[in-house]
Amino acid sequence: MSTMDNVEEVHENLSEHCEKHPRELIKYFCPVHQALLCGDCIVLDSHTCKLESILNVSFSFKDSSVYKDIKCLIRKLADDACKTTTTVENKAMAFGNSERKNENEVCDFQSKVIACLNEQFQNLTSQITKVNRELKINLLHLQKISKETEDEATALKADMEKNDNNNVLLFISAQRSKYRANDILDRLHRIEEEVNNIPTFEFTPSSQFESALKGRNCIGAYRSSADTYEHSSDKICSDEHKGSFTTVVLIVL
Ligand SMILES: [Zn+2]
Ligand SMILES: [Zn+2]
C-alpha cells in the first residue's frame, strides 16, 4: 500500500468528530481512561497517558472478544428496552380498562343506591297516604255524627225555649228531653273518646342513616393498591374493601 493509499484510508475511516471539540476528528484511544480523543484533547487537556491510534486499535476489533461482549450486551439491552416498552404499554392499557371498569362500577352502585333509596322513600310516602286516608274517613264520619248530635241538642234547646210560656207543654217537653239528653250525652262521650284515640303521626329521619351519610367514605372509596393505611372508622365500605388504602372519596349523591 502506498503512502497516498494510507492517507486516503485515514481520511475515509477517520470521520467521527470529537464530542468535546466538534471540529476535530477522533484519532486516538486512551486505554487507561477508555476515552476517544482528538488532537485537541491531547494538547488542550494535556492528556499524558500512552495512547493508541484509532486505526490500530480498530483494525482487528471486530473479531475481538471485547466487541462480541459489547455486541451481546447491546442486543440484550435492545431486547430489554423492547420488553420494558411492552410492559409500559400493557400497563397503560390495563389502566384505561381499569378506569372504565371503576367508573362503571361507581355508576352501577349509584343506580343501585338511588333505586333502593327511591323505593324506601316511596314506601314511606305510600304508608303516610294509606294511614291518613283511613284516619280521614274515620274523622269525616265523626264530623258527620258530631254535627248530627249537635243539631239534635240544639233542637232540644229550641223546643224547651219555645214552650217557655206554656207550663203543660214545657213539662212534657222537659220530660221528653230528659231521656233524649242522656242518649245525646252518651253519644257525645263516645265521639270525644274516639277523637282522643286518634293518634298523631310524625316522621323521624333515621339518625343512623344521617350519620352514615356524614361519614367520610359512606358511599365507598377509590383507593390505591399501593397504600396500606388502615381506615378503621370506615365502617360502611369496610365489607367491600377489606384491606387498607388511601382514599379519594367519591361523592356520588
Ligand atoms: Zn477532543
Ligand atoms: Zn488517558
Side-chain angles (χ1 to χ4, degrees), residues 18 20-21 24 37-38 40-41:
C18 175
K20 204 169 164 188
H21 311 101
E24 295 295 317
L37 304 167
C38 72
D40 279 7
C41 289

Side-chain angles (χ1 to χ4, degrees), residues 29-35 37 47-51:
F29 179 69
C30 169
V32 179
H33 294 97
Q34 294 283 297
L37 304 167
H47 210 107
T48 55
C49 307
K50 190 177 182 304
L51 304 177

Side-chain angles (χ1 to χ4, degrees), residues 135 195-201:
L135 287 178
V195 169
N196 289 335
N197 283 339
I198 290 176
T200 54
F201 292 85

Side-chain angles (χ1 to χ4, degrees), residues 40 79 100 117 147 174 199 206 227 247:
D40 279 7
D79 284 352
R100 279 187 293 281
L117 286 177
K147 187 78 185 96
S206 158
D227 202 327
T247 309

Side-chain angles (χ1 to χ4, degrees), residues 42-54:
I42 299 160
V43 177
L44 299 174
D45 298 348
S46 308
H47 210 107
T48 55
C49 307
K50 190 177 182 304
L51 304 177
E52 300 268 10
S53 152
I54 280 288

